[in-house]
Amino acid sequence: ATAYYWPAEGTMTFFAHSPASVASSWDGNTYTIPFDIGTTAGDAQVDLLVADVQNGRNYANSGTTGVPVAFGHKLTKVSFTAGVAKPQTGVTYTLKSIELKGVGKTSTFTQSNNGTTTTEAWATPATSSNYIVFSGNLPVSADLSIVSPTPDEVTTTKTLFIPHTFSDTASLVVTYARTTNLGGVSSLVEVEKEVLLKDISTKWNINSHVTYCLSIGFVPQMLVLFIMLAILEDVGYMARVAFIMD
């Protein structure tokens, strides 16, 4: 094994990230990591973990105890669940697709430490892209009108995104089908709904797990199809807000 020794004078700064293949740079004050989330959401995505900068280290304060390297997640995990706002006899719903449009693809993560406080941030994304997070035919049956409902889980894969404040055009697009079978007569209506992400919440935060709950329903008196979106945010990969779209 290679032996390393503390310098006789001065101090050292330590910084670590995973994956190691990601480029990083140090300007004497701030570490910078350019990052690309890729073009496809799912299990193939690479998570970004970064340890806090440790500066001012020397033999006197770290020679016998070592330097702590505690990694933390620096992306946002996004999940989806779904249910029916108020189930009705003869009416069924099938979720077809969920797409996030115009969300950050590439950005730069920075971290600095003044000796006592670590400061970290993501820059405004340099580029954006669209991501299909679900595509298929998922029957939605969970009853969201009851107390403490258990929504149907939609996304089971890893879906990671760059934390950032949403642009004016970033949006969530949901497509679902409503089938009605009354008196032996069946009808099918396919609906696509789009909502701006900034109208649900302003941003995705570092090291957060955000769950969007899609509540699908139909109000016969008004002949209006709508989707209600509820968000649960859990720090560590839950404030609530709801948005109704008609």
Side-chain angles (χ1 to χ4, degrees):
T2 302
Y4 296 93
Y5 300 92
W6 290 98
E9 299 180 353
T11 61
M12 298 183 68
T13 297
F14 293 84
F15 182 72
H17 58 77
S18 175
S21 58
V22 175
S24 62
S25 60
W26 168 252
D27 64 4
N29 179 62
T30 302
Y31 267 101
T32 301
I33 303 177
F35 194 74
D36 187 333
I37 202 68
T39 57
T40 304
D43 288 334
Q45 288 181 292
V46 175
D47 196 0
L48 177 65
L49 293 93
V50 179
D52 289 347
V53 173
Q54 302 290 331
N55 55 16
R57 295 285 175 170
N58 55 26
Y59 181 80
N61 59 34
S62 305
T64 58
T65 60
V67 178
V69 183
F71 286 86
H73 295 279
K74 302 308 174 185
L75 301 176
T76 302
K77 181 179 178 180
V78 177
S79 300
F80 288 86
T81 60
V84 180
K86 187 176 182 180
Q88 296 173 286
T89 302
V91 180
T92 59
Y93 297 93
T94 303
L95 188 61
K96 309 288 285 187
S97 67
I98 301 174
E99 183 178 16
L100 290 164
K101 301 180 69 173
V103 298
K105 178 180 181 294
T106 59
S107 183
T108 301
F109 176 81
T110 57
Q111 187 188 92
S112 59
N113 187 297
N114 60 11
T116 58
T117 304
T118 297
T119 302
E120 59 185 15
W122 282 94
T124 300
T127 62
S128 61
S129 188
N130 302 336
Y131 297 88
I132 300 291
V133 296
F134 171 78
S135 179
N137 291 283
L138 178 68
V140 178
S141 58
D143 185 354
L144 300 185
S145 66
I146 64 175
V147 177
S148 301
T150 302
D152 298 323
E153 188 173 19
V154 177
T155 50
T156 58
T157 59
K158 177 177 62 179
T159 49
L160 303 174
F161 294 97
I162 290 174
H164 65 287
T165 298
F166 301 126
S167 69
D168 290 340
T169 57
S171 65
L172 168 64
V173 181
V174 178
T175 304
Y176 65 95
R178 175 183 180 272
T179 303
T180 303
N181 194 332
L182 298 174
V185 179
S186 181
S187 64
L188 173 67
V189 178
E190 188 163 302
V191 182
E192 179 180 281
K193 292 293 185 179
E194 182 172 11
V195 60
L196 295 177
L197 287 172
K198 70 173 186 176
D199 289 338
I200 307 172
S201 64
T202 58
K203 62 181 179 179
W204 288 329
N205 294 308
I206 294 174
N207 189 26
S208 291
H209 182 186
V210 177
T211 298
Y212 292 87
C213 180
L214 309 178
S215 179
I216 304 173
F218 180 69
V219 184
Q221 303 94 315
M222 300 172 60
L223 297 180
V224 173
L225 289 166
F226 70 91
I227 290 181
M228 180 177 68
L229 303 175
I231 295 183
L232 303 178
E233 183 167 350
D234 185 11
V235 176
Y237 293 86
M238 274 178 185
R240 295 172 185 251
V241 296
F243 184 84
I244 296 179
M245 177 169 61
D246 59 25

